[in-house]
Amino acid sequence: MHHAHEHGATITPSSRPYLGDIGTEIAARLPGAWSAQLEIYSHPLWQEDLSPALWEAGDLYRALVDHRVPFASVLKYDTGTELLLIERPGHRSGYLLGALTEHEKEDPHDDPSTPPSIVLPADPQLAAHAVSHTFLPAYRHAVHNRDLNTVLRSLERIREEHQTLQAIKDSGRCSDGVPLGDSRLIAGMERDFADHAWLSFVHVLDHATLLLTRCRPAASAWREDAAALTRLREALASSQDAWKEWNDTRRELYSIPRTLPAHEWSQARGQLGLAVLPAIETWLADSEAFERQARAAVPGGPASLPAPSPRLLTTRPTPPPSPRAAAAHR
């Protein structure tokens, strides 16, 4: 204030609490182990780099697109959930809060599970209540639906290829009409299917276990689904050795300075796909029961906040002190 007066500058203090303080105060009042970190975006490109990480297509998204946002507070849950808190542009009070994600995603405007941002008051107690009772329940539902949709899309891709393969085997002809006179052709097609099926089934292995824990067939209108859910759990359990082998293989290969040739990757995936083929077929057969039970499931409680999935191919760098690198949330 003294230097401003010396240079003839006028400073108008804001009635809005400092973002670094309000973020810390809100985090301290949320259920569970939350923390807050102030981030400074000295260059507009750093602000723009938030867009790929923002899981939101409403007020917070438009604020980042249409306004200069020089700093933000990131609220972090101890399992990896991150929320972005900024001052509400164009208003003398209030804040905007939305979700960040490390998951690859398409345009958030096309994602039906996107959790909407929320306007928070300047009072940290009221703000924390709004986050814990309004935003986080919506966020948990959004994560649940996102993971469910990921599993269902993966199963649909497998189903399409499985039906194509079965139609070729039943007809005795390739898709171009050429007769299958050599059994090696069929074996090759089955290996190709197993390769592609594994790439999709890994998403089932990654997300379905947690989704199944939320299913309560006895409390639903489809109690008879209990047997199908038991079969699905057993199928996942029988695939754990292949899942572990896949993760161990990727971790080992990416820790050494060489690249595995594409055909060797395909061979490795094909072998794993053939190993879990009975589990894949079980999931294809009982996918309808899984979907209706998972749609009816209600995730709840702080414990259901998601832990980040293992990222074996890329690792998120540790954020440096502010000002930070532009790709912090990539």
Side-chain angles (χ1 to χ4, degrees):
M1 296 291 286
H2 176 71
H3 285 293
H5 179 72
E6 284 184 343
H7 292 277
T10 300
I11 294 180
T12 303
S14 172
S15 61
R16 181 160 38 194
Y18 174 52
L19 187 63
D21 294 336
I22 193 74
T24 300
E25 293 181 19
I26 292 174
R29 290 169 170 80
L30 294 179
W34 287 88
S35 62
Q37 176 181 332
L38 185 71
E39 299 186 345
I40 298 176
Y41 314 122
S42 301
H43 194 285
L45 288 177
W46 297 2
Q47 171 188 333
E48 293 173 9
D49 234 43
L50 288 170
S51 296
L54 190 64
W55 193 26
E56 139 58 50
D59 292 341
L60 184 58
Y61 176 87
R62 289 191 293 271
L64 288 171
V65 171
D66 299 336
H67 299 272
R68 179 75 175 96
V69 178
F71 52 91
S73 181
V74 177
L75 309 185
K76 299 182 180 181
Y77 190 62
D78 61 356
T79 58
T81 300
E82 295 189 355
L83 310 178
L84 187 71
L85 179 70
I86 68 170
E87 293 182 347
R88 192 181 183 193
H91 296 76
R92 297 182 62 85
S93 64
Y95 306 87
L96 288 174
L97 179 120
L100 295 171
T101 178
E102 287 187 344
H103 287 261
E104 295 179 1
K105 63 183 189 302
E106 299 177 355
D107 188 333
H109 292 86
D110 298 328
D111 185 354
S113 66
T114 299
S117 58
I118 185 173
V119 177
L120 298 180
D123 182 276
Q125 186 65 41
L126 295 177
H129 185 274
V131 174
S132 58
H133 289 81
T134 301
F135 183 82
L136 289 180
Y139 175 77
R140 285 189 284 267
H141 278 280
V143 172
H144 177 87
N145 289 330
R146 180 196 64 194
D147 293 346
L148 174 57
N149 291 335
T150 297
V151 170
L152 295 177
R153 285 194 296 266
S154 299
L155 290 174
E156 188 58 31
R157 288 193 297 269
I158 297 174
R159 190 188 310 280
E160 291 176 359
E161 296 195 14
H162 186 267
Q163 291 174 344
T164 299
L165 174 62
Q166 194 59 46
I168 292 175
K169 292 169 68 175
D170 291 343
S171 68
R173 294 179 178 274
C174 296
S175 56
D176 58 4
V178 176
L180 290 173
D182 192 338
S183 61
R184 289 177 298 179
L185 290 176
I186 297 179
M189 291 179 181
E190 291 176 339
R191 286 193 298 270
D192 289 342
F193 164 75
D195 175 9
H196 298 149
W198 176 259
L199 285 173
S200 293
F201 195 59
V202 293
H203 298 295
V204 180
L205 295 173
D206 197 14
H207 299 297
T209 299
L210 181 58
L211 293 171
L212 282 172
T213 63
R214 299 171 181 157
C215 296
R216 301 289 185 269
S220 73
W222 309 278
R223 296 188 177 187
E224 66 278 7
D225 287 343
L229 297 187
T230 298
R231 290 192 294 270
L232 294 177
R233 292 187 183 96
E234 292 173 348
L236 290 180
S238 68
S239 304
Q240 290 308 300
D241 289 343
W243 179 231
K244 182 178 184 301
E245 180 181 346
W246 174 245
N247 287 326
D248 289 345
T249 299
R250 290 199 301 173
R251 186 179 297 107
E252 177 183 353
L253 291 175
Y254 278 91
S255 67
I256 56 180
R258 72 182 184 87
T259 302
L260 191 68
H263 72 277
E264 293 188 34
W265 271 119
S266 177
Q267 183 180 7
R269 293 191 301 260
Q271 290 174 348
L272 294 171
L274 290 173
V276 301
L277 188 56
I280 291 176
E281 292 174 342
T282 297
W283 271 87
L284 293 179
D286 291 324
S287 61
E288 290 186 7
F290 167 74
E291 179 175 5
R292 60 175 166 257
Q293 289 296 327
R295 294 286 184 204
V298 179
S304 67
L305 288 170
S309 301
R311 299 297 294 269
L312 298 177
L313 304 186
T314 59
T315 302
R316 181 173 179 171
T318 302
S322 300
R324 61 187 291 123
H329 287 289
R330 288 292 176 87

